[in-house]
Amino acid sequence: MTLSPRTRTVLAWLLFTATFGCLAAGLAVALVLVRPLTLAVLAEGALAAGLYLGFAVLGLVLSLRRPGNPIGWLLAASGLVWSLNVPGEAWVSNLAATGRPLPRLAQVHAAVLEPLWAPAIALGVTLPLLLLPNGRLRSPRWRWAVAASVAGGVLSMAGALEPGQLVSTPIANPLAVDGLGGVVAGAVAGLGGLLHAASLAAALVCMVLRFRSSRGVERQQLRWVAAGAAVAVIGLLAVVALLALEETYGFAPGAWLVALALALASLPVAIGVAVLRYRLWDLDRLISRTVTYALVTALLVVPYLLVVPAASRLAEGSATLAVAALFQPLRRRVQDLVDRRFNRRRYDAARTLEGFAARLRDQVDLDALHGELLGVVDQTMQPTQAWLWLRPAARVRR
C-alpha cells in the first residue's frame, strides 16, 4: 500500500513528536522526583536526550526529503524506541543509587525496557547499513540478513521474562517466569542475541562489498558512512580509556559520556549526509583539516605545557606570543604535508594553479593563454568539456 504525501508527512511528524514527548516527560520526571538533582545527573540526561533527539531529527529530515527511502523511517523509529526508556530512567536510577526500595511500577519499567537496546540498534544501525545508500538491498540474497535483524530484535525482548538479576538495575527481575517458561524465555532471548550479532556482522560485510563495487557518487556516499563508522569505533575506544582513567586516577570524571555521545552520533550523521548527498565531496577536505589541526595542536601545545610550568609570568607571556606567531606558518607547512598524503588531488591542483599564476604574469600571447588556461582547468577540475569565451574589446568612439 502506497501512502499519500500528506499521510507520510503526518506520520513523520508523529514519530518525531512522540520521541520529543518522551524526552520532555523524562525531563519533567527528573525535575519533580529525582533528589538530589545534581549537575551530573542533568548532564548525563542531556547527553542521552540529545543523542535520541538527533536520531529523531535526522529521521524526520530524511523522511520528509527522501520519503521513498526507508532509512529515514528506520532512524526515526530507532529514536522513538531509544526514548521510551527516558521518562522513568532517571527516577529508577536515582532510587537504585540511593538504596531506596523500588516501587512496583519502577521495577516493571526497568524489566520491560532493559532489552530495548536490541530493536533500537537493529532499527538505527543494522537495517540502515544493509540498505545504504539508496534504500535497497544489494541483492535479494541479503533478505536473510534483514529477517535475522528483525527476528533478533523481537526475540531479544524475551529477556524481560528471563529469571535472574537485571543488568541496568540491581534488582531481581519482577517479571521473571518460573520453571520451564523461564528456561524457554532465556533460550529465546539468547537466540535473539545471536541473530542480532549475526545480522550486524552481515551488515558490515555488505557495506564492504558495496564499497568495493561502487563508483562515482555511490562510492562517495559510502566513504562518508565508512568515515562515520571509523569515528564511532575511535570514540568507543576513547570511552574505554576515559573510564579506566576515571576509575584509576579520577581523571576527567564524566568525560566518557561526551565521548560516548559523539561516538554514537557520528554514524547516523554520516548516514544522513550520504542519503541526502549533502556536500559529499568535502570529505577529503574535512579529513585533511582535522588531521592538520590535530598535528598543529600537538606540536604547539606539548612544548608549551612543558615550558610554562618552569617559567615566570614574563616567560609565560613570551611563550604564548611565540605559539600565536608560529601557528599560521606551522599550519601551512603541516597542511601541505597532510594534503600530499590524504588529499593528493587538492595538492596537485594547488601546485598547478600556483605555476599557472606565475606564468600568467609574463604571458602576453592571447592564443597561448587560451590554450594554457583550458589545460589548467582540465588538470584541476577534470570537466568532460570546457570552452572559453572572451568578450571583444569595446570600440573607442572618436
Side-chain angles (χ1 to χ4, degrees):
M1 181 180 65
T2 303
L3 300 177
S4 65
R6 180 180 178 83
T7 303
R8 288 198 298 260
T9 301
V10 172
L11 181 59
W13 278 105
L14 283 177
L15 286 172
F16 174 80
T17 304
T19 303
F20 187 82
C22 289
L23 299 178
L27 176 61
V29 170
L31 294 176
V32 174
L33 298 179
V34 176
R35 293 293 182 273
L37 189 60
T38 62
L39 183 61
V41 172
L42 291 176
E44 184 176 351
L47 285 174
L51 177 62
Y52 305 156
L53 189 61
F55 272 91
V57 170
L58 186 57
L60 176 65
V61 172
L62 294 181
S63 300
L64 295 178
R65 297 286 300 274
R66 299 283 190 273
N69 193 322
I71 293 176
W73 302 101
L74 290 170
L75 294 177
S78 177
L80 178 58
V81 173
W82 280 118
S83 65
L84 291 176
N85 196 33
V86 173
E89 183 177 14
W91 175 46
V92 175
S93 300
N94 183 257
L95 290 175
T98 55
R100 287 178 286 176
L102 272 65
R104 183 65 178 177
L105 179 61
Q107 296 180 23
V108 172
H109 174 278
V112 171
L113 300 181
E114 182 172 86
L116 273 182
W117 61 268
I121 292 177
L123 290 169
V125 179
T126 307
L127 292 175
L129 290 181
L130 287 169
L131 298 173
L132 278 169
N134 53 14
R136 294 190 295 270
L137 292 173
R138 188 168 183 265
S139 69
R141 290 180 297 178
W142 290 93
R143 291 174 181 170
W144 70 267
V146 174
S149 178
V150 174
V154 173
L155 296 179
S156 295
M157 292 300 298
L161 304 177
E162 187 178 1
Q165 185 170 315
L166 300 179
V167 176
S168 59
T169 308
I171 61 171
N173 187 356
L175 302 180
V177 178
D178 297 328
L180 181 60
V183 175
V184 172
V188 171
L191 176 61
L194 290 176
L195 291 175
H196 172 76
S199 61
L200 183 57
L204 296 176
V205 172
C206 180
M207 276 290 302
V208 173
L209 295 178
R210 275 189 189 269
F211 185 81
R212 292 181 60 183
S213 62
S214 62
R215 297 291 183 274
V217 173
E218 184 182 19
R219 189 175 187 85
Q220 199 66 15
Q221 289 175 290
L222 296 179
R223 287 187 67 196
W224 270 96
V225 178
V231 172
V233 172
I234 294 173
L236 293 176
L237 294 177
V239 169
V240 176
L242 289 171
L243 279 173
L245 290 174
E246 180 179 339
E247 292 178 0
T248 306
Y249 304 105
F251 174 77
W256 66 272
L257 286 172
V258 179
L260 180 62
L262 293 175
L264 295 178
S266 60
L267 184 57
V269 170
I271 290 174
V273 173
V275 174
L276 292 174
R277 298 187 180 185
Y278 177 74
R279 301 178 72 91
L280 290 177
W281 306 98
D282 285 351
L283 180 59
D284 292 332
R285 182 180 179 86
L286 178 64
I287 293 175
S288 68
R289 286 291 186 270
T290 302
V291 174
T292 296
Y293 281 98
L295 290 176
V296 170
T297 301
L299 291 174
L300 291 178
V301 170
V302 172
Y304 180 80
L305 294 177
L306 294 176
V307 170
V308 168
S312 63
R313 290 183 177 274
L314 179 61
E316 181 177 346
S318 302
T320 304
L321 292 175
V323 168
L326 288 173
F327 180 77
Q328 284 298 337
L330 183 60
R331 188 199 66 80
R332 285 193 292 268
R333 180 63 61 87
V334 173
Q335 183 69 65
D336 189 63
L337 293 174
V338 170
D339 283 340
R340 293 187 191 183
R341 178 64 182 87
F342 293 98
N343 197 4
R344 186 71 194 186
R345 177 178 292 182
R346 178 186 181 276
Y347 173 77
D348 293 339
R351 301 287 81 76
T352 302
L353 290 174
E354 288 178 4
F356 175 70
R359 296 190 301 272
L360 184 62
R361 289 191 291 266
D362 303 325
Q363 185 61 262
V364 295
D365 187 352
L366 190 60
D367 292 334
L369 178 62
H370 177 277
E372 192 166 352
L373 179 59
L374 290 178
V376 169
V377 171
D378 180 68
Q379 291 181 42
T380 56
M381 306 299 293
Q382 298 182 352
T384 56
Q385 293 178 325
W387 297 271
L388 175 63
W389 288 275
L390 296 177
R391 187 175 64 180
R395 296 182 179 179
V396 179
R397 294 184 179 180
R398 296 181 180 178

